[in-house]
Amino acid sequence: MVESVKPNIKDLSFKEFEAHLVELAEPSYRAQQIWRWLFQKRIASFSEMTNLSNALRERLTEDFTISRLPILRQADSIDGTVKFLFGLSDGQSIESVLIPEKKRLTLCISTQAGCGFGCAFCATAIMGFKRNLKASEMLDQILEASRTLGERERITHVVLMGMGEPLANYVQTVRALEVMTDTTWGIGISPRRITLSTVGLVPQIQRLMEETRVNLAVSLHAATDELRSRLMPVNRKYSLKELMECCRSLPIPRRKRITFEYVLLSGVNDGKQDARQLSELLRGVRCKVNVIPFNPHSGSEFQRPTAAQVGVFERVLHDHGVQINVRRPRGDDIQAACGQLQGEALRQKGHASSTSAEA
Ligand code: SAH
């Protein structure tokens, strides 16, 4: 007989857990107490839940496990950026990056192990798609990174910009967002402080904007279909026209803007003409552009443009009235660009990287 594996309590939704408590003849308010222990006090065992009866603590211990994500590697940059490589229970690994800025502490989390979208410049793409993360695995990245912080430090912002495509893992991502944003029993981060970045999956973008209040970032990287399809194969499915029509019609509140991300690749998409075409494409969309000078990695021949090239691109957009923000490269010394720490660990182990695209 196969021994049944206990479920991880964090894989139940709040509602599912409430229903479980009813079956145990416990009052449903216990669900809130228990969820607070898990997501606010971040305890790691049921025995620490001191406002529950011993009998209930024992029962929960029999029924469930409480997951942890072991840190396989941690890299600290001189600029304060910290990168974690977490090990998943099935041997896969994922990355998160903690980015301190003046008044914020942002955690960048992964939503899939690997990625199947094959963007030409991305280190994660080289690995191919491994699997979707469960909501608990997204939340555990926040809980584990929080555990490494000092008493008075707190993660203030979360960006879903690590490994993987969040909207290709829609259900688990929205489940995780619910726990991240709930202030009564969840982690309690305002949706205004959470940004989800996507390659541009049109139907899921529309659904996300209806179902949540998180900020949207769309990876654009090119202003023509010809170039974008070369850099991002997903463009063959959702063209720029479809993507921009979607962005124009989203029910976004007045003071909010969509962010467009634009990785600057030297000699590929960083010319004056590219900047002019980009400003044309964005005309009439309430947006800002995050320009990210390419983060070089050993799996790619693209190059980061010089500061002068970046400056020219920035000026043309600015002159055309586009709100633009050039991202300072962070964590260069620890290979903080998406997928790089994992790539490094695999190379050191002598693994060949998979290039299958299953997503
Ligand atoms: N799949 C989502 C989120 C993960 S990638 C998306 O594509 O938006 C987060 C951002 O980092 C994307 O804009 C992506 O294009 C960008 N990116 C990936 N590799 C990069 C690199 N080497 N240098 C700079 N930005 C990179």
Side-chain angles (χ1 to χ4, degrees):
M1 211 178 83
V2 183
E3 204 185 313
S4 65
V5 182
K6 282 194 248 179
N8 171 13
I9 189 166
K10 290 180 230 168
D11 280 328
L12 273 67
S13 72
F14 185 72
K15 284 218 168 69
E16 287 166 350
F17 185 62
E18 266 185 335
H20 183 78
L21 284 175
V22 171
E23 274 173 36
L24 297 183
E26 288 286 340
S28 62
Y29 69 80
R30 294 250 182 260
Q32 285 203 6
Q33 291 180 318
I34 294 165
W35 248 232
R36 282 191 193 128
W37 282 113
L38 292 172
F39 296 110
Q40 297 181 352
K41 302 193 189 86
R42 304 190 293 264
I43 54 84
S45 74
F46 292 107
S47 59
E48 294 167 75
M49 298 186 176
T50 47
N51 56 1
L52 307 183
S53 68
N54 278 334
L56 181 56
R57 286 188 238 173
E58 276 164 28
R59 179 64 203 250
L60 293 171
T61 309
E62 277 167 29
D63 290 349
F64 300 105
T65 58
I66 301 178
S67 57
R68 294 287 310 262
L69 279 187
I71 298 176
L72 300 183
R73 289 181 60 168
Q74 178 174 336
D76 296 66
S77 164
I78 40 167
D79 68 17
T81 307
V82 183
K83 181 150 185 168
F84 303 98
L85 183 70
F86 289 116
L88 306 179
S89 54
D90 62 351
Q92 301 291 346
S93 50
I94 49 163
E95 301 173 353
S96 314
V97 187
L98 201 51
I99 309 154
E101 284 161 310
K102 270 179 223 141
K103 285 188 180 166
R104 338 178 140 184
L105 184 54
T106 303
L107 185 70
C108 174
I109 64 168
S110 295
T111 55
Q112 298 181 316
C115 183
F117 282 85
C119 296
F121 47 83
C122 176
T124 305
I126 298 167
M127 279 168 230
F129 176 72
K130 307 290 187 197
R131 71 167 171 86
N132 281 329
L133 297 190
K134 292 183 279 188
S136 61
E137 292 167 325
M138 297 181 213
L139 297 166
D140 276 339
Q141 295 172 60
I142 304 176
L143 302 180
E144 297 295 350
S146 297
R147 286 195 175 97
T148 69
L149 300 175
E151 283 246 314
R152 291 161 67 185
E153 288 175 307
R154 215 176 148 256
I155 291 170
T156 61
H157 292 69
V158 172
V159 294
L160 287 74
M161 295 187 184
M163 293 164 79
E165 168 52 40
L167 296 185
N169 185 13
Y170 189 89
V171 172
Q172 294 299 313
T173 298
V174 169
R175 223 177 216 224
L177 287 174
E178 191 194 357
V179 180
M180 274 180 229
T181 53
D182 191 281
T183 47
T184 312
W185 44 258
I187 297 174
I189 300 173
S190 161
R192 282 178 287 119
R193 295 174 167 215
I194 298 177
T195 302
L196 181 149
S197 177
T198 175
V199 290
L201 304 183
V202 168
Q204 290 94 322
I205 290 178
Q206 286 162 335
R207 193 171 159 201
L208 182 81
M209 291 294 101
E210 281 161 21
E211 294 179 359
T212 76
R213 289 164 47 229
V214 298
N215 300 305
L216 178 69
V218 177
S219 294
L220 210 50
H221 308 328
T224 64
D225 278 319
E226 196 269 316
L227 181 56
R228 192 164 188 269
S229 293
R230 261 203 290 143
L231 298 177
M232 303 179 71
V234 70
N235 193 66
R236 294 181 204 132
K237 182 152 189 200
Y238 300 111
S239 68
L240 275 174
K241 183 164 177 282
E242 254 182 287
L243 181 59
M244 296 316 295
E245 266 171 20
C246 162
C247 291
R248 283 197 167 82
S249 64
L250 288 175
I252 299 217
R254 275 191 154 271
R255 54 189 177 75
K256 253 186 152 177
R257 285 165 191 272
I258 301 174
T259 300
F260 289 104
E261 291 159 284
Y262 195 99
V263 170
L264 271 191
L265 307 165
S266 180
V268 176
N269 66 355
D270 66 338
K272 282 185 181 175
Q273 176 70 0
D274 299 291
R276 280 192 289 267
Q277 284 172 330
L278 181 59
S279 67
E280 201 55 45
L281 186 74
L282 299 179
R283 186 169 292 167
V285 188
R286 286 183 56 79
C287 67
K288 54 188 176 202
V289 177
N290 266 351
V291 166
I292 320 158
F294 175 63
N295 246 316
H297 54 92
S298 54
S300 172
E301 287 175 4
F302 290 111
Q303 281 170 357
R304 179 184 292 179
T306 62
Q309 279 173 290
V310 177
V312 171
F313 192 86
E314 187 180 4
R315 203 163 327 113
V316 175
L317 281 179
H318 185 78
D319 290 347
H320 284 77
V322 179
Q323 188 179 323
I324 161 173
N325 172 23
V326 176
R327 289 270 138 167
R328 202 157 38 97
R330 300 289 305 249
D332 269 4
D333 55 328
I334 56 161
Q335 301 171 306
C338 172
Q340 291 184 25
L341 196 64
Q342 155 106 32
E344 233 6 80
L346 284 180
R347 269 190 293 284
Q348 283 177 11
K349 279 203 282 183
H351 285 207
S353 52
S354 147
T355 50
S356 66
E358 298 163 37

